[in-house]
């Protein structure tokens, strides 16, 4: 399935749910407030809410950066942006692909990506684009109001090794895309991974196309199974593709600790382990 087809499927999924999204998750507001308070955007900052959805974070971000700051909400789904217009006093809103942002280089101080990475057709391309628009020293916050285990249970499935949000997968992937993971929390109450934009250029080694194909195959297998599980063959293909990607990234990462982490995770995946 092409990136365009994946994006169309994502838009279709969220378009059908936009009207009832906030009502379905009424308790998330205070959790967002706590996460944004912890991130501490400064007055005058430029904050990008990438995959802003219905815009529940936008007033909180505006309150943090004040009238001199800039808040921009971006989402791929027009119906979500329509809902977010209720917060148009707090932010500018754009329908756009997070892998092709209408922004100049090094413009953003903080990127909030709530539930974002799981919906990027090519996660590495999206993370590199977010790095492009973020200034060196700026931050990326990948957030969800519940942790991975709680979210998997909500969908009637278990955590699987291919989850890119798992710290052993996420750390080297971020490092290869211009980010350095600085904090990681994954509890029942929340998921929050914070990364700092490094000075290195984000156009590192291209992700092996096999990884993109394997990830899409996993998604197709899960979509056909009532319990959302991955087939053993699809999971094995993903492990090998992810390992190859990490091995390629390890050749160019600037920090030895990141190179070591990438090689270690690749070895675990080659051996069929890791979760």
């Amino acid at each position: 399935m092409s990136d365009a087809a994946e994006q169309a499927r994502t838009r279709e999924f969220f378009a059908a749910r936009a009207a009832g999204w906030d009502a379905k998750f009424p308790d998330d507001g205070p959790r967002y407030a706590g996460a944004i308070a912890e991130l501490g955007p400064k007055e005058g900052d430029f904050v990008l809410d990438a995959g802003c959805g219905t815009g529940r974070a936008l007033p909180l971000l505006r309150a943090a950066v004040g009238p001199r700051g800039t808040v921009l909400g971006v989402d791929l789904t027009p119906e979500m942006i329509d809902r977010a217009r209720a917060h148009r006093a707090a932010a500018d809103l754009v329908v756009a692909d997070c892998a092709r942002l209408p922004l100049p280089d090094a413009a953003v101080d903080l990127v909030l990506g709530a539930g974002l990475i799981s919906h990027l057709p090519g996660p590495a391309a999206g993370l590199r684009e977010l790095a492009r628009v973020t200034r060196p020293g700026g931050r990326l916050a990948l957030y969800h109001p519940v942790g991975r285990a709680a979210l998997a249970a909500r969908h009637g499935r278990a955590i699987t090794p291919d989850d890119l949000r798992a710290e052993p997968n996420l750390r080297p992937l971020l490092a290869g895309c211009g980010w350095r993971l600085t904090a990681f929390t994954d509890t029942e109450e929340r998921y929050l991974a914070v990364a700092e934009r490094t000075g290195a250029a984000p156009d590192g080694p291209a992700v092996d196309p096999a990884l993109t194909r394997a990830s899409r195959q996993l998604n197709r297998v899960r979509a056909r199974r009532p319990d959302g599980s991955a087939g053993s063959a699809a999971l094995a293909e993903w492990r090998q593709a992810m390992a190859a990607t990490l091995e390629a990234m390890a050749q160019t990462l600037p920090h030895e600790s990141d190179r070591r982490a990438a090689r270690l995770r690749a070895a675990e995946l080659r051996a069929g382990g890791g979760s």
Side-chain angles (χ1 to χ4, degrees), residues 103-256:
L103 289 171
D105 295 354
V108 176
D109 296 293
L110 172 66
V111 178
L112 175 65
L116 175 67
I117 193 169
S118 300
H119 299 290
L120 293 174
L127 291 171
R128 286 198 181 104
E129 176 67 351
L130 294 175
R132 180 188 68 79
V133 303
T134 303
R135 64 169 178 80
R139 293 176 297 156
L140 166 68
L142 299 174
Y143 174 70
H144 200 283
V146 298
R148 291 190 306 127
L151 184 61
R154 178 186 292 175
H155 295 289
R157 57 180 73 158
I159 293 178
T160 58
D162 63 292
D163 189 345
L164 290 177
R165 297 166 301 166
E167 193 273 343
N169 294 331
L170 185 64
R171 182 180 294 276
L173 183 63
L174 285 169
C177 297
W179 301 98
R180 183 170 178 81
L181 187 65
T182 59
F184 184 86
T185 303
D186 184 13
T187 65
E188 184 175 349
E189 291 79 19
R190 70 170 182 170
Y191 175 92
L192 181 62
V194 182
E196 181 178 318
R197 174 73 170 88
T198 65
D203 55 346
V207 171
D208 187 340
L211 177 58
T212 300
R213 291 195 300 270
S215 296
R216 288 172 179 162
Q217 176 63 16
L218 274 176
N219 289 336
R220 286 194 291 269
V221 171
R222 286 205 175 98
R224 292 195 298 265
R225 294 183 174 216
D227 63 352
S229 63
S232 58
L235 188 54
E237 180 184 354
W238 179 89
R239 283 195 179 106
Q240 297 307 308
M242 183 66 175
T245 295
L246 294 178
E247 288 162 353
M249 285 181 170
Q251 303 300 315
T252 59
L253 296 178
H255 299 285
E256 174 57 30

Side-chain angles (χ1 to χ4, degrees), residues 11-22 24 54 79-80:
R11 280 194 295 265
E12 182 180 5
F13 177 88
F14 284 106
R17 293 162 175 78
W21 192 262
D22 289 342
K24 186 175 180 181
T54 60
E79 289 82 357
M80 282 291 190

Side-chain angles (χ1 to χ4, degrees), residues 44-48 61-62 65-72 90-92 109-110:
D45 275 358
F46 185 150
V47 180
L48 169 65
L61 294 170
R62 169 57 64 192
V65 303
R68 295 191 301 111
T70 299
V71 180
L72 177 64
D92 295 314
D109 296 293
L110 172 66

